[in-house]
């Protein structure tokens, strides 16, 4: 099974790391819309999300992987560990090991798309 997921949360994390605080309007819908617009603009300037994921520590990277796996509708309660594997089609790839022994292969493209390959027959 192969799932493709755009990781807006990853772009939001990258954007949050670059900003030094901001003003909240008190309106959650307006704040979410502003964040979504910021994410789109952030991606448009050419940030390499794959490089940002590579630079993350293991805990941060595993949070990105659990979010991508869950967004793909796959079962994973917790990513216990991840190992970097050989690049796939020029993009970095990891094995995300979930609690319970399930593993998913996660590839991140420069635009922030997560490609997840899972075997559900084992």
């Amino acid at each position: 099974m192969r799932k493709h997921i755009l990781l807006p949360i990853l772009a939001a994390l990258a954007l949050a790391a670059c900003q030094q605080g901001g003003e909240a309007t008190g309106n959650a819908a307006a704040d979410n819309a502003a964040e979504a617009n910021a994410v789109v603009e952030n991606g448009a300037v050419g940030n390499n999300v794959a490089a940002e994921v590579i630079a993350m520590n293991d805990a941060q990277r595993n949070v990105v992987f659990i979010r991508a796996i869950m967004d793909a509708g796959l079962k994973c309660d917790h990513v216990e560990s991840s190992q970097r594997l050989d690049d796939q089609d020029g993009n970095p790839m990891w094995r995300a090991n979930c609690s319970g022994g399930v593993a998913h292969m996660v590839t991140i493209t420069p635009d922030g798309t997560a490609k997840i390959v899972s075997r559900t027959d084992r």
Side-chain angles (χ1 to χ4, degrees), residues 25-44:
T25 63
N27 181 339
D31 289 343
N32 290 340
E35 182 176 306
N37 288 339
V39 169
V40 170
E41 292 170 7
N42 192 35

Side-chain angles (χ1 to χ4, degrees), residues 75-95:
K75 179 92 171 104
C76 184
D77 294 327
H78 174 72
V79 174
E80 293 180 344
S81 64
S82 56
Q83 294 83 36
R84 176 83 186 265
L85 303 173
D86 292 335
D87 289 359
Q88 178 76 29
D89 299 325
N91 296 310
M93 183 169 69
W94 291 265
R95 177 183 297 114

Side-chain angles (χ1 to χ4, degrees), residues 44-115:
V45 296
N47 284 347
N48 185 341
V49 177
E52 293 175 19
V53 173
I54 291 170
M56 292 177 176
N57 66 40
D58 289 342
Q60 293 169 326
R61 191 176 306 113
N62 290 344
V63 168
V64 169
F65 294 157
I66 186 72
R67 180 60 191 248
I69 292 165
M70 290 172 51
D71 284 352
L74 300 170
K75 179 92 171 104
C76 184
D77 294 327
H78 174 72
V79 174
E80 293 180 344
S81 64
S82 56
Q83 294 83 36
R84 176 83 186 265
L85 303 173
D86 292 335
D87 289 359
Q88 178 76 29
D89 299 325
N91 296 310
M93 183 169 69
W94 291 265
R95 177 183 297 114
N97 300 302
C98 298
S99 55
V102 176
H104 304 281
M105 302 306 176
V106 181
T107 304
I108 306 291
T109 63
D111 70 355
T113 301
K115 297 178 181 177

